[in-house]
Amino acid sequence: MMPSEHLAPSSPTRDPVRDAATLGARHATESELLRSLHPAVAGALTVAGFPRHFVPAGFGGDAGTFAELVEAVAVLGEGCTSAAWCAALQAAHGRLAAHLPHRGQAEIWGSGPDVPIAAAVVPPAGELAEVPGGYRLSGRWHLASGVDHADWLLLAAPEPGDGSRSPRILALPRADFTVEDTWRNTGLRGTGSNSVTVVDAFVPRRRTMSRDVLATGRPEEGAARCHRVPFPLVASLMFAAPALGAARGALRAWTDALVGRATGDGGGRLDDGVAQQVLARSSAEIDAAHLLLRGAAERADHAPLDRLPVARNMRDAAVAVEMLVAVVERLFRSGGTRVQSEAEPLQRFWRDVHALAGHGALRLAPAAAAYARSVRDEGQGVEGRAA
């Protein structure tokens, strides 16, 4: 879990992550109707420490581990996938902002580390003009998850010139962008992944960086491990973590729906052999996916920073999500018409995991290709390799 000394200093016996999960589940339907996290849930994510999780210790942040984050996000996802998605990205965006020049970081976290940050950095968009002291930025970006509750926003724009340079990432305060109400999705409805517009905003150079910096991580001596890892090592992992919680929540919802329901011969549904097989297989596959994601998090926290761990993490996140989608699909199909009701949480988890699995970072084909290249270039077979 997230470090408890930062999460609830006034009440050490409380678990703010579980509190946030309880609120997320309680307000999940309202978040869907709002197409954005319920304000109480958004506030609970900050109390639980997600925005500060990867903030540098010098600004009062936790500079935490990926293993802690995966477990905490999964707990949230058991109640509300949208809350888990926003929590994972708040942590991830704090990690991205930690690659800005120090003076730019100080603007964001000078008053404290509990600053929710949204982002739209893939693909780059907008128009950027270099001016004395920085840049002028205008344009429109899509899918900025959690932006309704963000104090800052990271955007990527093409560098001025011939297009040969890596895009530039720029950090903008709330006053410099406008949120457009555009999020109308089948799943993850509560994430508020709206579009944003910027009109001729000045961004000082200290609040910008080349996107190449993210690909390599911060190499300087003394940088925390979470800031030294390359972006591809951890991107798919953080997008996959909410699916683990969603599958657990779906299994609980399916079990709750079947308990007390009778079969045609008067027996209980969980006494039925088919239902028992669904329960056993689904719970085992959720545990197996958890092991894959936990292993990927351990590599992110401890493995050598070379190509093979990156490829393994991409592979394992994609495979884990495929497994979790299959689990929720099985539960949904075996639950009967009752679980299709809008009042039943299982149909929400079903929609959410399908929406989540469509993210480009979780596609199996590019992950498989990257893994095959890494194995080929190592000049060794896969037999005997530790995961």
Side-chain angles (χ1 to χ4, degrees), residues 163-329:
S164 61
R165 293 186 292 172
S166 175
R168 182 152 292 269
I169 293 179
L170 308 96
L172 285 78
R174 184 80 194 190
D176 286 356
F177 61 88
T178 300
V179 179
E180 298 183 21
D181 184 12
T182 57
W183 184 239
R184 302 286 192 285
N185 214 46
T186 300
L188 296 176
R189 290 177 179 173
T191 61
S193 299
N194 288 306
S195 300
V196 295
T197 56
V198 176
V199 179
D200 194 33
F202 173 70
V203 186
R205 190 174 298 276
R206 65 180 176 272
R207 284 199 264 116
T208 77
M209 60 183 166
S210 170
R211 203 168 71 182
D212 281 346
V213 175
L214 301 181
T216 57
R218 290 173 50 183
E220 65 264 25
E221 185 177 351
R225 166 72 185 206
C226 63
H227 304 139
R228 289 189 288 113
V229 299
F231 182 70
L233 179 66
V234 296
S236 56
L237 172 65
M238 289 187 282
F239 286 120
L244 175 61
R248 289 174 176 167
L251 181 60
R252 181 179 296 116
W254 178 87
T255 305
D256 290 345
L258 263 64
V259 168
R261 289 171 61 184
T263 60
D265 59 6
R269 284 294 304 273
L270 286 182
D271 295 324
D272 174 68
V274 173
Q276 291 170 350
Q277 290 179 45
V278 170
L279 176 63
R281 182 178 293 277
S282 298
S283 59
E285 288 177 355
I286 291 172
D287 287 348
H290 181 204
L291 290 174
L292 285 174
L293 295 180
R294 189 167 67 187
E298 289 297 323
R299 281 193 291 274
D301 288 329
H302 303 294
L305 300 179
D306 57 34
R307 287 180 59 190
L308 189 57
V310 170
R312 284 177 172 165
N313 273 17
M314 293 173 63
R315 174 201 70 184
D316 288 359
V319 170
V321 168
E322 283 204 347
M323 292 171 63
L324 294 167
V325 170
V327 165
V328 179
E329 182 72 26

